Amino acid sequence: TELGDGGWDTSFDPWLSSSICNLERVGHLSEDEFNAHYLQQRPVIFESTQDNSIFKSHTEKEYMLDKFGDVLMMLSSANTYSYKRDYITFSQYLDEHIEPQDLTTPGDQTFYLFGGNHHILETQLFPEYKRPPFANSEEGSISFGVAGSGSGVPLHRHGHVFAEVMYGQKRWFLYPPEEHPYFDPDASTLQW
């Protein structure tokens, strides 16, 4: 693990890394600027947003194990159409499922913790999260995930979203709404 990683293994396989990123990066935007130039028009990367230091400290591994270790969590399989579910404690999830993704393991056999379906997280963790001013709608849901390197959410579609990474890094594959890439729905994220 690295300094400042919250106790998580944030090592990232070099062959998963890419220097290719054609998204615009911005430091700060007003709500008017965001609405005029980006909302429902094109993706953007924010290099600095609001201060989430309290939330980040509450997502450190030891804090989460202490606070949520015995809590039953729902895991989802990482394939596109047939989501299998499994229920285990948070500490059991970290012991059994947080290793880097194996290229030979298909999506329907890969389980990860992702989503806003855990009531205890919604009431005891999510209130600490500060959304950017232009994404501060109470109508939008907060999803939270913890996963090993190379794992992730299967290819899917949805409307506009704001995503923030507290520890490690995340890789997105973005397609214009009118394009439909070919993919195997049972392949893991790492495989495709």
Side-chain angles (χ1 to χ4, degrees), residues 78-82 105-109 183-189 191-192:
N79 57 326
T80 301
Y81 299 119
S82 61
T105 305
D108 64 346
Q109 294 176 25
F183 65 95
D184 177 351
D186 285 322
S188 70
T189 302
Q191 289 168 335
W192 56 261

Side-chain angles (χ1 to χ4, degrees), residues 41-149:
Q41 296 176 51
R42 64 182 193 256
V44 62
I45 296 173
F46 299 96
E47 294 187 323
S48 63
T49 60
Q50 65 293 334
D51 178 11
N52 260 317
S53 56
I54 293 172
F55 179 80
K56 189 170 183 173
S57 72
H58 290 174
T59 58
E60 290 178 357
K61 186 176 183 179
E62 288 306 315
Y63 181 92
M64 291 198 68
L65 275 170
D66 183 54
K67 187 100 171 162
F68 307 114
D70 295 330
V71 175
L72 201 61
M73 300 283 179
M74 181 181 76
L75 306 182
S76 302
S77 63
N79 57 326
T80 301
Y81 299 119
S82 61
Y83 291 104
K84 295 178 184 176
R85 305 283 190 239
D86 193 12
Y87 295 87
I88 60 175
T89 65
F90 183 69
S91 60
Q92 187 180 1
Y93 171 68
L94 295 185
D95 288 342
E96 298 174 8
H97 293 277
I98 203 71
E99 295 179 4
Q101 175 72 35
D102 184 315
L103 186 60
T104 63
T105 305
D108 64 346
Q109 294 176 25
T110 301
F111 286 86
Y112 63 99
L113 187 147
F114 179 81
N117 54 26
H118 310 293
H119 179 70
I120 195 164
L121 296 179
E122 291 172 1
T123 59
Q124 295 186 26
L125 181 64
F126 295 174
E128 303 295 337
Y129 180 72
K130 294 180 183 176
R131 301 174 193 225
F134 46 82
N136 204 17
S137 169
E138 292 300 319
E139 297 173 19
S141 64
I142 295 177
S143 290
F144 180 79
V146 176
S149 179

Side-chain angles (χ1 to χ4, degrees), residues 9-20:
D9 180 358
T10 59
S11 57
F12 195 68
D13 294 324
W15 64 276
L16 291 176
S17 186
S18 173
S19 61
I20 300 170

